[in-house]
Structure formats: C-alpha cells, structure tokens
Amino acid sequence: MRFKITTLPGDGIGPEVTAEALRVLQTVSGIHGLRFDFEEHAIGGIAIKNHGAPLPRTTLDACLSSDAVLLGAVGAPEHDRLPPNRRPEAGLLMIRSALGGYANLRPAISYSSIAACSPLRNEITCGTDILIVRELLGGLYFGEPRGISGTNENAVASNTMRYSVAEIERVAKVAFEAARKRRGKVTSVDKANVLETSQLWRQTVIRVSQNYPDVTLEHLYVDACAMHLMANPRRFDVLLTENLFGDILSDEAAVITGSLGMLASATIGGAVGLYEPVHGSAPDIAGKNIANPCGAIASAAMMLRHSFNLEQEAADVELAIEHVLEAGYRTPDIAEGTGGYVVKTAEMGERICEAVTEIADMRHAYHAV
Ligand code: NAD
Ligand code: IPM
Ligand code: MN
C-alpha cells in the first residue's frame, strides 16, 4: 500500500515534533511493507517569511492532492501584531477550511506512569479517557460579518458566532458514532442559557440523539463543564462541543494528562484528513530539543487509523508511547514528580520507534508459535 503524506512542520517546536512523528511513520512503514511518500511544505510564519503568505498555493495544492496531512504548529511572536487574516494562524484556518474536515477529535487520556506530573490528584485523574469532538469549521472562527471599524478610541470590533442545523448535525453524528464504540455517553457542551447558536445546537443534538437510543446524552453549560473537567474528569466519555469551546476545553483537558504536549488530534469528515498535535509552536521552548513529541506521534497514529484504515498499526504506536512512558522516559514537561529519566525530543522519538518494533516483533513471534 502506498500513501502520499504532506508534512507541514510550521513554526517553533513544530519541526522538532513533526520530525519524530515522521520517524515513527517510517518505522511503521518499514515493518509492515507500506510505502509512505512524504512531501514537506511551508505553512504559518515560515511561509510568510519565505513565500509572503501563511498558506502558499504550492502548499495548498500539495495538501489537496495527498492522502493525509501532518501538521506541526504555527505561530511566532514576530507576527503577533499582524491583523488576523495575515497571521500564521490564518494559514492553519485556511488549510482546515480547504481540506473540509469539520470534526476535530482530541483524545485526552491519563497514563498512570506520568499521573504524578498533573497538578490534579491521582485519584481524580486516574483512568480518565475522554474524546473531545470539537466542531472545527464554524462558530466565531469563520462567522461573517467580522472585523474592526473606526479607529483609536472609536474602534469597534465584532465577530459572529453562527451555526446552521446541517453543521451541527454532521459533527453530532461523529460524536454519537464514536460513543457507540466507546462507553456509550455523549456530553454536549453549550451556552444555551444565553446564546441562540447554543439553543439551536442543543435542539439539533437532541434530535440527532434519537437515532442513537443506545447512547446516553447529557448537556452541560460550558462554564460548568470547565469545572467538572477538573473536579471529576472520569464522568466524561465523548465531549461534543462547538469550535471555540472545544479549543479552550481541550487545553484544559491537557492538565488531566499532565502536559499539553501529550494531546493529539485528527480532523475528519473532509476530502483529506488533517493530523496535528493540540499544542502550539511553544516559542518559550523552541529550538532546544526538549519539546514533547508524544502529541505529534499520537496524531500520526490517528492518521494511520482514520485516513489509512490501519487500526492495528495505529494501536501499536499508541501502545508504544505507553510502553516508553512506563519504561521511565520523559521529556521535561512530564518529568516532575514521576521519577524516570529526562530525555530530549529526538531520544523520545527513537525510544518510541524501538517500542513499535518490539511490539510488532512480539506479535510476529506469537503468531509463529
Ligand atoms: P502553546 O501550546 O504553544 O504553549 C503553551 C505552553 O505549553 C507553553 O509553556 C509551552 O512551552 C507548553 N508546550 C506546548 N507544547 C508543548 C510540548 N510539545 N512539549 C512541552 N511543552 C509544550 O500555546 P501559546 O504559548 O499560547 O501559543 C504559542 C503560539 O502557538 C501562538 O502563536 C499561537 O497562536 C500558536 N498556536 C498554534 C497552534 C497550532 O498550530 N495548532 C495551537 C495553539 C497555539
Ligand atoms: C488549536 C489552536 C488553533 C485554534 C489556533 C492556532 C488557530 O489553538 O488548534 O487548538 O484556535 O483552533
Ligand atoms: Mn488551541
């Protein structure tokens, strides 16, 4: 089997973590006789610098003609004063929109070997396994009209939170289908006590739920949800929410796992799947080879599952991450209080590759007897 993967390392720690995700994909392809053709392109700040735009045409065309896209992160302090449509982040929003994926899956799993690095107590986080399903192409991120009028003290800025029934239905279906394969519960998160978009969201989710009588549906307001996530994360199975709430709640959920560097994501439903860690370009640690590559590597695993239908290979990579954490290897962000050895980004990637090979060898040996 042959797949074309476009890689968009981007800015800050993006290239560092993407390199490790690539290394793992190469290991997987070597073991299983797959052929991955990688093609690297520019996005974000580096694209502004080298091509004058956050999403150059060549990058867009390469992504549209590939089987999947793996992205690192975008954003750099030197671009922080640009207007939204010229910033590195605009490149990310444009590629999301062009690829068409509307359901952004963000798993947040607490691994017992690194539970101690979470500021939350072990008995709170232990066993947490949440799948956040974030709507990715609607809401305030894309709603029109938007902009700033007037100047100085007379300036007025506005954004529009907009959702159609169709946009809510399609992402809700993804959440219910996912819950069916998990523990059978969807928590839909909105602000229906204040916002019309949320009222439509809630009504539509309730209607979709009628096709899934085997799945339990509950509703939470987003403010209360933020509290429950910290107080009792195990109450959640699938958490379904709109774009901005999902952005915020997924960074909050990272606290349960111990680090934002652990979180992966897959964006599905469009023409081409997009895979990116949840974290950003982390300028505070960029260039030091200390970033945690687990989120990027787990995003590559999600690519194997969702774009290539390689479930076993995906599960092996996820298990390899777990094994390496259990063996005591940690990047600095997940080291505090957990014991073990602090290693660099690249070594973490190498260890995960070794574990992927060991897991495959063990299965091979098992089937041989
Ligand atoms: P951030 O996610 O980059 O960093 C937040 C904190 O988490 C920092 O202290 C950082 O060091 C730490 N962190 C993040 N990823 C880590 C990893 N893999 N290993 C270890 N520590 C890690 O968020 P921010 O600082 O608010 O934003 C920085 C830039 O990234 C901004 O320009 C922002 O717009 C952009 N951003 C991009 C994406 C994306 O490309 N998907 C996501 C979020 C933020
Ligand atoms: C994320 C990021 C992006 C978002 C930014 C960089 C546009 O925070 O992927 O979580 O808000 O979606
Ligand atoms: Mn975010």
Side-chain angles (χ1 to χ4, degrees):
M1 266 190 289
R2 191 169 173 169
F3 298 104
K4 180 181 165 196
I5 302 171
T6 299
T7 63
L8 309 174
D11 306 319
I13 62 168
E16 299 168 49
V17 297
T18 307
E20 301 317 312
L22 276 191
R23 199 202 293 263
V24 171
L25 286 173
Q26 267 153 352
T27 301
V28 170
S29 71
I31 294 170
H32 299 280
L34 305 159
R35 172 130 180 227
F36 294 148
D37 297 318
F38 297 107
E39 202 177 291
E40 185 179 313
H41 284 272
I43 194 167
I46 186 82
I48 295 175
K49 197 167 149 224
N50 295 340
H51 306 268
L55 181 66
R57 184 81 224 180
T58 44
T59 301
L60 175 63
D61 289 343
C63 291
L64 286 170
S65 69
S66 56
D67 294 303
V69 176
L70 182 70
L71 187 140
V74 298
E78 72 242 49
H79 299 114
D80 277 351
R81 264 183 251 124
L82 290 174
N85 61 348
R86 290 177 42 217
R87 288 174 61 108
E89 291 84 347
L92 177 58
L93 298 179
M94 286 190 273
I95 195 65
R96 285 178 181 171
S97 161
L99 298 180
Y102 51 82
N104 180 224
L105 314 181
R106 298 186 158 190
I109 300 163
S110 165
Y111 292 112
S112 55
S113 52
I114 56 164
C117 73
S118 170
L120 298 172
R121 288 199 308 276
N122 189 19
E123 58 267 34
I124 305 242
T125 59
C126 169
T128 299
D129 179 355
I130 306 173
L131 177 66
I132 297 177
V133 178
R134 170 189 178 192
E135 199 291 325
L136 205 64
L137 292 185
L140 283 166
Y141 281 71
F142 293 95
E144 297 283 349
R146 62 183 292 164
I148 303 185
S149 60
T151 50
N152 300 327
E153 59 277 14
N154 295 319
V156 176
S158 64
N159 293 90
T160 301
M161 190 187 260
R162 182 192 171 281
Y163 272 105
S164 68
V165 168
E167 285 171 319
I168 302 166
E169 265 175 10
R170 63 184 186 177
V171 72
K173 282 183 193 154
V174 171
F176 283 101
E177 293 291 340
R180 247 185 194 163
K181 296 192 199 129
R182 294 169 50 97
R183 302 189 302 282
K185 180 177 175 189
V186 170
T187 304
S188 175
V189 178
D190 60 37
K191 188 73 186 170
N193 49 349
V194 177
L195 304 174
E196 284 80 359
T197 42
S198 281
Q199 285 166 356
L200 187 66
W201 180 278
R202 195 175 278 218
Q203 285 162 22
T204 308
V205 171
I206 290 172
R207 220 185 29 257
V208 171
S209 76
Q210 285 158 5
N211 296 324
Y212 299 87
D214 49 325
V215 176
T216 309
L217 171 64
E218 71 167 356
H219 305 275
L220 285 179
Y221 297 131
V222 62
D223 47 356
C225 177
M227 180 277 294
H228 287 299
L229 260 180
M230 295 293 98
N232 184 13
R234 276 189 306 243
R235 68 174 279 155
F236 296 95
D237 177 16
V238 175
L239 191 166
L240 164 66
T241 194
E242 68 88 45
N243 206 344
L244 182 64
F245 298 162
D247 178 43
I248 297 167
L249 293 176
S250 52
D251 272 30
E252 192 195 10
V255 175
I256 303 162
T257 72
S259 170
L260 192 47
M262 292 300 298
L263 260 55
S265 93
T267 304
I268 60 167
V272 181
L274 172 64
Y275 301 87
E276 43 174 327
V278 169
H279 64 74
S281 56
D284 53 335
I285 58 163
K288 297 183 180 159
N289 196 16
I290 59 169
N292 185 344
C294 289
I297 293 169
S299 302
M302 294 183 88
M303 169 187 288
L304 296 173
R305 172 174 299 121
H306 294 282
S307 280
F308 307 155
N309 214 6
L310 297 168
E311 175 55 40
Q312 181 76 74
E313 290 78 354
D316 283 359
V317 172
E318 287 160 352
L319 191 62
I321 294 172
E322 219 177 321
H323 281 187
V324 166
L325 295 175
E326 276 160 16
Y329 298 101
R330 283 120 184 57
T331 43
D333 55 308
I334 50 173
E336 206 185 310
T338 64
Y341 339 94
V342 175
V343 296
K344 301 278 187 191
T345 308
E347 184 173 351
M348 198 70 182
E350 281 164 25
R351 296 286 169 234
I352 293 170
C353 288
E354 282 166 16
V356 167
T357 307
E358 274 163 29
I359 290 165
D361 285 349
M362 268 165 61
R363 186 172 324 94
H364 196 210
Y366 178 80
H367 286 300
V369 289

